Amino acid sequence: MNQRIDLHLHSTNSDGTFTPREVVRRAEAAGLSVISLTDHDSTGGVAEAQEEGALLGVEVIPGTELSARNDGADVHILGYFIDPEHPDLISWLDTFRQARLQRAERIVKKLNDMGLRVPLEQVLARAGPGAIGRPHIADVMVEEGLVLSVDEAFHRYLGYSKPAYVGKYSQSPSGAIQVIRAAGGLACLAHPGLYRRDDLIPGMVSAGLDGIEVRHTKHNASQVARYSNIAAEHNLLCTGGSDCHGDGRGDPIIGTVDVPVSYVEAMRERLENRSM
């Protein structure tokens, strides 16, 4: 029986709707044997997910998805097999957590100035212990009857160039790569097909990039082939996952992307060789 894996999943510790435990339960129900919890700018759910994974027989690779920006483009760097308690990583995450809060405050003020009642306290409660983001604000807008859906909130108010949009704090991809590697992890470029900036990849390779997310929900067959070839050209690892954010963020697509278990085996081998 082939093992099934999903290396890109989000929980309530960032902008997902499933708790870390529920992510693991859903993974087990979907027949997955290995997953990685990769919350945005957070590792807060890793311990809980691993605890549940130990009970259910699902391996949970400690992960995260760090925000970065390069040449005007938002770029996300996935970190795998990280030490969630590494001081450099904790410092990075604390900085981003504070910046996310300040951004949310500015967005809410813009909405309130437009006459749209969005209580900041309600947004904070919605985010809970996780890294606060625009989806939490959109959820509250739906709850308050200001829009009919999260998609409408982004389309009318929160999306890029919309009236309540506020740019987010960012660091360079090279900085994200360095902090992931300092924490003992592998740094992989998330969903490159969404950026359409393949010209940025060589610079990230020079900065120590370990891999590319080849298989993703929004990558078509030609993109899978393209990024597999780019990975081979630069001696990069391949990774992949559903990027599931739970219910209310589109369909709960956990486990729907075909990711070969050989991807994880290659990751382990790379880490082993690095430590020799």
Side-chain angles (χ1 to χ4, degrees), residues 101-183:
L101 172 59
Q102 293 171 351
R103 183 193 191 201
E105 291 171 341
R106 292 174 61 194
I107 292 174
V108 167
K109 185 178 186 304
K110 279 193 171 191
L111 291 168
N112 290 340
D113 289 346
M114 294 167 61
L116 300 171
R117 182 184 177 277
V118 179
L120 179 61
E121 297 78 9
Q122 200 168 328
V123 174
L124 296 177
R126 185 78 186 189
I132 192 169
R134 287 178 295 164
H136 299 119
I137 299 172
D139 287 338
V140 172
M141 294 179 74
V142 174
E143 291 170 1
E144 291 295 305
L146 301 173
V147 291
L148 295 178
S149 67
V150 168
D151 285 346
E152 183 186 351
F154 273 82
H155 180 72
R156 294 181 60 186
Y157 302 107
L158 304 178
Y160 295 108
S161 78
K162 301 303 179 181
Y165 178 75
V166 173
K168 60 185 176 182
Y169 171 81
S170 62
Q171 292 273 13
S172 67
S174 62
I177 291 166
Q178 289 164 14
V179 78
I180 288 168
R181 294 187 62 140

Side-chain angles (χ1 to χ4, degrees), residues 182-195:
L186 297 166
C188 301
L189 178 62
H191 40 61
L194 301 188
Y195 312 131

Side-chain angles (χ1 to χ4, degrees), residues 33-162:
S33 59
V34 182
I35 66 171
S36 185
L37 189 66
T38 54
D39 280 318
H40 293 286
D41 302 313
S42 174
T43 59
V46 168
E48 180 183 322
Q50 288 185 317
E51 183 178 293
E52 190 69 16
L55 293 174
L56 298 180
V58 177
E59 180 184 358
V60 179
I61 295 169
T64 190
E65 184 174 1
L66 300 186
S67 305
R69 192 167 180 82
N70 189 7
D71 192 28
D74 287 328
V75 176
H76 291 177
I77 307 295
L78 292 158
Y80 295 110
F81 294 99
I82 54 171
D83 172 6
E85 304 301 326
H86 191 278
D88 289 357
L89 180 59
I90 292 297
S91 177
W92 174 287
L93 297 178
D94 284 345
T95 298
F96 268 83
R97 188 175 297 109
Q98 184 60 34
R100 280 177 172 269
L101 172 59
Q102 293 171 351
R103 183 193 191 201
E105 291 171 341
R106 292 174 61 194
I107 292 174
V108 167
K109 185 178 186 304
K110 279 193 171 191
L111 291 168
N112 290 340
D113 289 346
M114 294 167 61
L116 300 171
R117 182 184 177 277
V118 179
L120 179 61
E121 297 78 9
Q122 200 168 328
V123 174
L124 296 177
R126 185 78 186 189
I132 192 169
R134 287 178 295 164
H136 299 119
I137 299 172
D139 287 338
V140 172
M141 294 179 74
V142 174
E143 291 170 1
E144 291 295 305
L146 301 173
V147 291
L148 295 178
S149 67
V150 168
D151 285 346
E152 183 186 351
F154 273 82
H155 180 72
R156 294 181 60 186
Y157 302 107
L158 304 178
Y160 295 108
S161 78
K162 301 303 179 181

Side-chain angles (χ1 to χ4, degrees), residues 164-247:
Y165 178 75
V166 173
K168 60 185 176 182
Y169 171 81
S170 62
Q171 292 273 13
S172 67
S174 62
I177 291 166
Q178 289 164 14
V179 78
I180 288 168
R181 294 187 62 140
L186 297 166
C188 301
L189 178 62
H191 40 61
L194 301 188
Y195 312 131
R196 299 181 181 179
R197 290 298 308 271
D198 293 353
D199 58 301
L200 300 178
I201 293 176
M204 286 184 269
V205 172
S206 297
L209 189 71
D210 292 293
I212 294 181
E213 187 173 42
V214 169
R215 296 172 184 259
H216 182 270
T217 308
K218 294 185 178 179
H219 281 185
N220 59 34
S222 64
Q223 288 173 315
V224 171
R226 173 175 176 75
Y227 292 113
S228 295
N229 290 335
I230 289 176
E233 177 186 349
H234 294 285
N235 191 31
L236 297 172
L237 297 163
C238 294
T239 184
S242 65
D243 202 358
C244 180
H245 285 70
D247 292 322

Side-chain angles (χ1 to χ4, degrees), residues 4-10 18-32 34-37 58 217 241-247 250-258:
R4 300 184 61 242
I5 69 175
D6 191 328
L7 303 180
H8 194 159
L9 298 168
H10 296 278
F18 301 149
T19 66
R21 290 188 188 279
E22 190 173 5
V23 169
V24 178
R25 291 171 189 155
R26 296 216 175 211
E28 192 273 338
L32 300 176
V34 182
I35 66 171
S36 185
L37 189 66
V58 177
T217 308
S242 65
D243 202 358
C244 180
H245 285 70
D247 292 322
D251 294 331
I253 52 177
I254 185 168
T256 58
V257 175
D258 183 19

